[in-house]
Amino acid sequence: MTMEMKPIRTKADHLAALKEIETLMRARPGTPEGDRLDVLATLVEAWEKKRYPKPTESYTVEPLGKLKVVPDFLPAPGDLVFREEGVKVTLTLSKRSVEFFKREATKHHTQYQRIIRRLLDAYAEHHHAQPRDPHQRRTRRERV
């Protein structure tokens, strides 16, 4: 069996190679399929290294200063799926965030807006319950 291989030159070539790699993942080493998998993986790795070079690392040895660990108080996406009264607002979110919430909503058979609303409610509840900063100014209404 002759292996017909060609260089990866375009994104379409890259995607086709990845797709073929996926079909060959269970190939045994030393078989024609296993050899094809090795060659394709090498080609993909070379193309990705050229196309998406790793940024040079720029670490410093300067002290970081005083660090504060912020506890994770956000609920898991599955905990954000219950109904509550709401107020309509206009809000622009990043496409990446909206896509995430849509995927989670599909998994939990609900609307993504409800998950976003519950997340914001949890955030507000967490910060509302926090003790006040003694240096924070109080309003006239709070002094009464």
Side-chain angles (χ1 to χ4, degrees), residues 33-135:
E33 293 81 13
D35 292 344
R36 184 165 183 82
L37 174 62
D38 289 342
V39 173
L40 278 171
T42 302
L43 289 171
V44 165
E45 184 178 17
W47 187 83
E48 288 175 349
K49 195 173 194 175
K50 184 177 179 183
R51 180 82 184 219
Y52 307 110
K54 290 183 180 178
T56 56
E57 296 179 16
S58 57
Y59 294 109
T60 65
V61 292
E62 299 170 11
L64 295 176
K66 187 175 181 180
L67 300 178
K68 178 182 176 184
V69 176
V70 178
D72 182 9
F73 63 88
L74 296 176
D79 296 334
L80 301 174
V81 289
F82 65 86
R83 193 172 191 126
E84 192 174 327
E85 183 182 7
V87 176
K88 290 199 179 233
V89 296
T90 301
L91 181 66
T92 302
L93 303 172
S94 70
K95 184 177 180 181
R96 185 180 74 215
S97 294
V98 172
E99 288 171 353
F100 167 79
F101 286 112
K102 283 183 176 181
R103 283 191 309 272
E104 290 300 319
T106 300
K107 285 184 204 174
H108 297 284
H109 309 289
T110 189
Q111 297 172 339
Y112 73 96
Q113 297 93 333
R114 286 184 182 166
I115 295 177
I116 294 170
R117 180 174 56 236
R118 181 64 188 112
L119 176 67
L120 292 173
D121 289 345
Y123 181 89
E125 185 177 315
H126 173 77
H127 286 285
H128 180 71
Q130 296 297 312
R132 281 186 154 306
D133 180 347
H135 301 293

